[in-house]
Amino acid sequence: MREVINGLRQQRNDLIKQIKENKYRLYYKESEKAGITKMLNETQDTTDFKKISYLKRLKNRLEFKISTSPLSLKEEKDIARKVNEVNEELSKSMKFVRMKRKLELVEKDIVQYQTSVTDLNEKISAIDLKLDDYFSKLRALSRSGRKPGEYQHRERQYKEHGHGEDNRKYEVKETPNFSIEDIVVIKKPKASKQ
């Protein structure tokens, strides 16, 4: 039975470690969410969705032109430079969209960690109930292992040696009489000079 109890204790300790890790990750994700939300509020006003869609269409047209049209080497280099410029501008403009997607992923992670912590707490509660049950069984077994009357014999010895209530002698001690004036020094206020 002690092996079962030790096994349950080890499971409980492992679950507590997992809860601590999940709570740490949850705290990290919540701070990340706060930072992303703050950045989104700042960049939301400057984001132009029409410009983003225009840049995407332009990029697609230029790439299509490079791949399908017979161009000279110079024309192809010019279009490739233009594609790179459009990519840079597009990545700057897409910052808001990427942050919004990242915020959604972070929120999903937060929900996942919260449910994980809740599940682990429920598992710990179940293990605690099992441990309580095993401890009560263990106590019952240790009590049942004693011989009948052994416990009463010990109680009798305890009382005979002056530890029981019957053999206690209480002496009533007189308390000395004194007044508060004996303890506290009362100072009179000084007369003010007029």
Side-chain angles (χ1 to χ4, degrees), residues 71-143:
L71 300 170
S72 69
L73 187 59
K74 184 181 179 206
E75 290 174 336
E76 197 169 318
K77 284 183 181 180
D78 289 339
I79 292 175
R81 268 191 233 113
K82 203 167 189 177
V83 167
N84 288 337
E85 290 172 6
V86 169
N87 279 337
E88 288 177 22
E89 205 171 325
L90 187 62
S91 68
K92 289 177 186 175
S93 301
M94 289 290 292
K95 186 178 179 183
F96 174 76
V97 176
R98 280 192 220 106
M99 281 195 299
K100 200 165 187 176
R101 286 182 189 155
K102 188 170 185 176
L103 180 66
E104 290 172 1
L105 293 174
V106 167
E107 287 174 343
K108 286 180 184 178
D109 288 344
I110 287 173
V111 169
Q112 178 186 357
Y113 287 128
Q114 287 173 340
T115 55
S116 176
V117 166
T118 305
D119 292 343
L120 291 171
N121 278 330
E122 289 174 2
K123 288 179 182 178
I124 287 176
S125 298
I127 288 175
D128 286 344
L129 290 174
K130 287 180 184 177
L131 281 171
D132 289 343
D133 186 42
Y134 280 115
F135 280 129
S136 64
K137 287 179 183 177
L138 191 62
R139 275 188 233 113
L141 285 174
S142 65
R143 286 183 190 150

